[in-house]
Amino acid sequence: MHRGEGQGRPCRSFPQCTGGAESEGQAPTSHNAPGVAHFSSFRQAPPTMHRAAARLPLPGPGPLRRAAAAWPRRALCGEAPALVRASGPGVARRLRGQAGVRPGFLSGPEEAALGRELEPQLRRRRYQFDHWDGAIHGFRETEIAQWSEESQEILQRVRGTAFPPGMSPLSLVHVLDLDKSGYIKPHIDSVKFCGCTIAGLSLLSSSVMRLVSEQNPEDWMDLLLPRRSLYILRGPARYEFTHEILKDEESFFDGQKISRERRISVICRNLPVPPAPS
């Protein structure tokens, strides 16, 4: 399956992709359970993480706390998200508005609702530790077209945030379940199967996504993806940079260890752009 995250050739003449700009917010405190995480553990979910910084308890020392403290100023001034680190100012400018994270996008009850719907389907599948194109290790996956009304409302919010009006989303939503020991290797999603925008929800665990330029591997950007956050990649971040989810032992952001547990991503994409007539 895994049609969207296999290795594909980047398209240099990619369409302009605008709209759905990311806003910065506070990164929610991690509630990862030790060992393998299961949604049944979160039926009594922690209180939702409101976007008003005054209502949020600051997490412990490290990048999550700095992101929380910077929320009001960054949101008003439109500065680069505190959940993003780049190899240099040139990369940050190049990918500004093209790669971003919205922490606290899901509430605890919303995460639990998605989990209750996904868990029965995922439980029927075994974790795989190889992949047809070598892009993923320690995963199981599915694609879902029909969702409950509650989940559909969440996905509509994702699409409304990530895709501008007039952009057609893929009807199938990709669900990727990574084991604690699983990871995603550097790749560019195939242009045959999806268009210029990728938007993913992170359930159960925080993680670090790394983007690396295909033309110059010294140009990179790290995105801290807190649990319950939404990440968005578009344009150059989609076509000109590989992206990967780091292994637990390599999962650091700004010098801070970001512990990985089992992680489920719910990924929405738009339809591929039809080829230009010859």
Side-chain angles (χ1 to χ4, degrees):
M1 188 182 296
H2 198 58
R3 300 177 304 169
E5 291 194 2
Q7 193 65 254
R9 294 183 60 188
C11 175
R12 298 304 175 195
S13 57
F14 54 83
Q16 185 174 4
C17 196
T18 58
E22 295 79 18
S23 65
E24 298 76 42
Q26 190 265 350
T29 306
S30 172
H31 297 280
N32 294 327
V36 177
H38 297 283
F39 280 101
S40 59
S41 305
F42 307 118
R43 294 188 185 277
Q44 298 298 323
T48 179
M49 294 297 177
H50 299 284
R51 287 158 180 77
R55 299 183 185 179
L56 286 160
L58 290 177
L64 298 182
R65 185 181 183 93
R66 287 195 292 275
W71 152 244
R73 177 176 61 84
R74 292 185 184 277
L76 292 174
C77 299
E79 296 179 4
L83 304 182
V84 174
R85 290 290 180 268
S87 56
V91 177
R93 285 193 298 269
R94 183 179 174 189
L95 295 183
R96 187 166 187 177
Q98 311 300 310
V101 184
R102 294 189 61 140
F105 189 84
L106 292 176
S107 68
E110 287 174 330
E111 180 192 46
L114 287 170
R116 287 191 295 272
E117 186 160 356
L118 294 174
E119 198 67 59
Q121 301 187 55
L122 293 171
R123 195 182 298 123
R124 294 196 295 266
R125 293 167 168 81
R126 294 183 178 181
Y127 284 107
Q128 302 176 51
F129 291 86
D130 54 10
H131 187 257
W132 62 270
D133 64 358
I136 324 176
H137 176 87
F139 73 101
R140 53 189 179 184
E141 64 182 339
T142 187
E143 289 180 318
I144 302 176
Q146 300 296 324
W147 295 81
S148 67
E149 183 177 352
E150 186 175 10
S151 295
Q152 188 61 40
E153 289 179 0
I154 296 169
L155 295 173
Q156 282 301 110
R157 201 166 83 240
V158 170
R159 292 172 178 133
T161 300
F163 305 138
M167 182 177 286
S168 300
L170 283 169
S171 58
L172 289 173
V173 176
H174 184 200
V175 178
L176 181 61
D177 181 354
L178 277 183
D179 181 71
K180 176 177 170 60
S181 63
Y183 55 92
I184 302 176
K185 300 176 184 178
H187 68 279
I188 292 177
D189 287 11
S190 173
V191 298
K192 295 180 181 179
F193 301 117
C194 57
C196 66
T197 300
I198 305 167
L201 296 168
S202 296
L203 312 183
L204 293 179
S205 176
S206 300
S207 61
V208 178
M209 174 179 283
R210 176 162 295 161
L211 311 181
V212 179
S213 169
E214 277 219 306
Q215 292 185 335
N216 182 8
E218 294 183 358
D219 290 345
W220 55 266
M221 174 177 282
D222 281 355
L223 306 178
L224 176 57
L225 309 182
R227 180 179 170 186
R228 306 195 194 105
S229 66
L230 172 71
Y231 74 82
I232 301 173
L233 304 179
R234 59 166 63 95
R238 155 78 173 93
Y239 293 105
E240 299 182 357
F241 284 69
T242 63
H243 61 276
E244 61 188 294
I245 295 293
L246 301 183
K247 304 176 184 179
D248 180 53
E249 56 267 31
E250 299 173 357
S251 185
F252 287 83
F253 180 83
D254 199 25
Q256 179 82 11
K257 181 71 170 77
I258 306 298
S259 295
R260 271 274 321 280
E261 301 293 340
R262 176 192 177 200
R263 175 183 181 267
I264 295 176
S265 51
V266 179
I267 306 163
C268 296
R269 299 177 173 90
N270 65 308
L271 288 169
V273 177
S278 56

